[in-house]
Amino acid sequence: MSDQFQPGRPIVLRGGTVLPMDASKSVLRDTDVLVVGDKIEAVGPNLSVPEGTAEIDATGGLVMPGMIDTHRHMWQTAMRGYGADWTLTQYFVFYYLQHGKSFRPEDIYAGNLLSAIEALDAGVTTTVDWSHNNHTTQHADAAVDALEAVPGRFVFAYGNIQGGAWEWATTPEFRDFVERRMHRGDMLGFQLAFDVTGDPAFPEKAAFEVARDLGANVTTHAGVWGATNDDGIRLMYDNGFMTPGNVYVHAATLSDDSYQRIAATGGSVSVSTESEQSCGQGYPPTWVLRKHNVPVSLSMDTSVWWSGDLFSAMRATLGADRSREHLEAHKNGDTVTHSHLRADQVVEYATRGGAAALGRDDLGQLAPGTKADVVLIKNDSSPVMFPLLNPYGHVAFQAQRGDVHTVLVDGKVVKSDGKLVGIDLGAARSAIESTVEYLQATLGEEAWAAGMNPDIPETKVLDNPYTYTDYRSSSTHGN
Ligand SMILES: [Zn+2]
């Protein structure tokens, strides 16, 4: 990194194809984006810029707002890829019942640090840390320390799977943590993260009251097959806790009645398509959310399976939605001739949708006065960067994280020319190495290997009437 991007120096991205994510989903060819301080100053062709402005050549590239991930268990990045073959049941057993408690504050720190860095690298400028392994407030302190060490925008969603929300949310330690650490500035927001089990006694009420008292929104895994269902939604509704700003994660197995309650109360759904596809919370729900006009944002859930890459989320979401439409039509002997969900809509989910979910109208778009969280997708050595005919389609189906050339957060360059700027990846690597070493030693070799390699159920190969040994001799060519 040269002196090119000195703090305070304006920056202009010149000549890109700009997707400002305005209401009409414009595509602006050959357009400049000028950043002054922490804000977008102007978007337009051939902008005249203040003297001394740093220039970034965006020709041949796509300029869009930074992406927003509304649900990510960042601490689990310490075990990246470990659970690739898990179901949700295996995930619950591993973290909730067996090994979540083994995580020390420094392990939470290590996972969060790597996850936060990874987000910036992929052009995800805002991430909600759905931090649900805070079995002490020291764990939460470590999580926030990591978020503060990385120049991204985050929302710390405090949770704790090791206890009921009505227990941890009502402690003096929790209140003290909120007062000490959650100042809810521009770069670090705050939510409460807990699930509503459907217990008719509704013990979660106490935690909702704490959230209300603190003026914090609640994010909750809702409509998760075998875990949360319509009962939770009904209890929240009947008790007056389905407030605007609530984020319902997954919401994959709910009735129309529950979707209507979400839509009517101003909530939104964080869809984690890749997660829903592998784990089994339910079918990725955009195909039904669309019908109820429920606002959607996207999320990656956890790197114990997937990476923090919203290109992947956009692609998977389009595929899942269209698959379902075709499947439903075929059941009735019908043919889908026109797709409902479009590429520009998933790009909107990944940007403005996330901003709306977080109540941040200054994020998720490139307009004068909005925050300068900007992504330039450009890769001159890639055969996949041209022709650039359908920019939204290009973002959703063609681009990938390796094409993220430049990233700005709050007007600061955090990735330039494909490389992270001012990030100590070595420190993150050694923190992760000691966590992995510690976890392996704590679990023991056998449990570690068993956890990563779940048993495969037996598959019976079906009888095949075409399998017979004299096929060759019975063919017309044989004799
Ligand atoms: Zn989750």
Side-chain angles (χ1 to χ4, degrees), residues 30 57 75 138-139 150 244 265 285 296 299 312 372 379 395 430 445 451:
D30 254 325
D57 176 10
W75 61 278
Q138 287 78 51
H139 290 74
V150 176
T265 53
V296 173
S299 58
S312 191
N379 186 348
V395 171
S430 50
E445 220 169 290

Side-chain angles (χ1 to χ4, degrees), residues 75-80 82 94-95 98-104 106-108 110-111 133 304 431-449:
W75 61 278
Q76 294 174 350
T77 302
M79 291 178 67
R80 183 190 294 290
Y82 179 92
F94 191 92
Y95 284 127
Q98 292 180 335
H99 305 303
K101 265 215 155 114
S102 301
F103 279 70
R104 306 161 299 173
E106 57 260 53
D107 306 317
I108 303 290
N133 198 15
V304 82
I432 290 287
E433 277 168 3
S434 21
T435 284
V436 169
E437 207 174 298
Y438 156 79
L439 288 173
Q440 282 172 334
T442 306
L443 268 67
E445 220 169 290
E446 207 175 314
W448 178 266

Side-chain angles (χ1 to χ4, degrees), residues 71 73 221 249-250 301:
H71 151 242
H73 308 293
H221 293 108
V249 175
H250 303 305
D301 203 347

Side-chain angles (χ1 to χ4, degrees), residues 292-340:
H292 293 289
N293 203 22
V294 174
V296 173
S297 63
L298 297 182
S299 58
M300 291 310 306
D301 203 347
T302 166
S303 283
V304 82
W305 278 272
W306 312 278
S307 80
D309 173 358
L310 288 187
F311 293 107
S312 191
M314 289 187 270
R315 193 170 303 178
T317 300
L318 272 181
D321 192 290
R322 291 174 180 180
S323 289
R324 185 64 184 242
E325 265 207 306
H326 291 299
L327 189 67
E328 294 293 317
H330 296 179
K331 277 191 214 160
N332 302 323
D334 294 335
T335 300
V336 174
T337 58
H338 293 69
S339 290
H340 275 99

Side-chain angles (χ1 to χ4, degrees), residues 229-400:
N229 58 34
D230 292 317
D231 292 339
I233 297 288
R234 190 179 36 75
L235 285 163
M236 289 172 67
Y237 186 86
D238 290 348
N239 287 276
F241 293 115
M242 286 187 77
T243 45
N246 278 12
V247 176
Y248 304 87
V249 175
H250 303 305
T253 42
L254 291 174
S255 63
D256 282 349
D257 183 71
S258 287
Y259 291 123
Q260 284 164 349
R261 290 179 201 244
I262 293 172
T265 53
S268 67
V269 170
S270 175
V271 175
S272 309
T273 304
E274 286 189 295
S275 178
E276 288 128 25
Q277 288 178 318
S278 272
C279 300
Q281 294 93 342
Y283 199 89
T286 55
W287 71 287
V288 61
L289 296 171
R290 291 192 274 108
K291 295 176 189 169
H292 293 289
N293 203 22
V294 174
V296 173
S297 63
L298 297 182
S299 58
M300 291 310 306
D301 203 347
T302 166
S303 283
V304 82
W305 278 272
W306 312 278
S307 80
D309 173 358
L310 288 187
F311 293 107
S312 191
M314 289 187 270
R315 193 170 303 178
T317 300
L318 272 181
D321 192 290
R322 291 174 180 180
S323 289
R324 185 64 184 242
E325 265 207 306
H326 291 299
L327 189 67
E328 294 293 317
H330 296 179
K331 277 191 214 160
N332 302 323
D334 294 335
T335 300
V336 174
T337 58
H338 293 69
S339 290
H340 275 99
L341 189 66
R342 298 304 175 107
D344 61 8
Q345 281 170 281
V346 294
V347 180
E348 187 173 54
Y349 291 167
T351 53
R352 274 182 83 134
L358 301 178
R360 294 286 304 254
D361 56 10
D362 58 344
L363 301 180
Q365 52 180 319
L366 302 177
T370 60
K371 285 284 179 180
D373 292 5
V374 186
V375 172
L376 168 61
I377 299 165
K378 168 172 161 137
N379 186 348
D380 290 341
S381 56
S382 167
V384 187
M385 275 312 295
F386 61 91
L388 205 52
L389 305 178
N390 176 343
Y392 288 104
H394 215 100
V395 171
F397 277 141
Q398 306 288 330
Q400 45 120 340

Side-chain angles (χ1 to χ4, degrees), residues 14 96 172 179 192 244 293 318 325 329 356 374 415 457:
R14 286 279 191 208
Y96 286 56
E179 276 163 23
L192 263 71
N293 203 22
L318 272 181
E325 265 207 306
V374 186
K415 189 177 184 184

Side-chain angles (χ1 to χ4, degrees), residues 458-464 467:
E458 218 176 301
T459 307
K460 187 182 180 320
V461 176
L462 301 176
D463 292 335
N464 182 342
T467 307

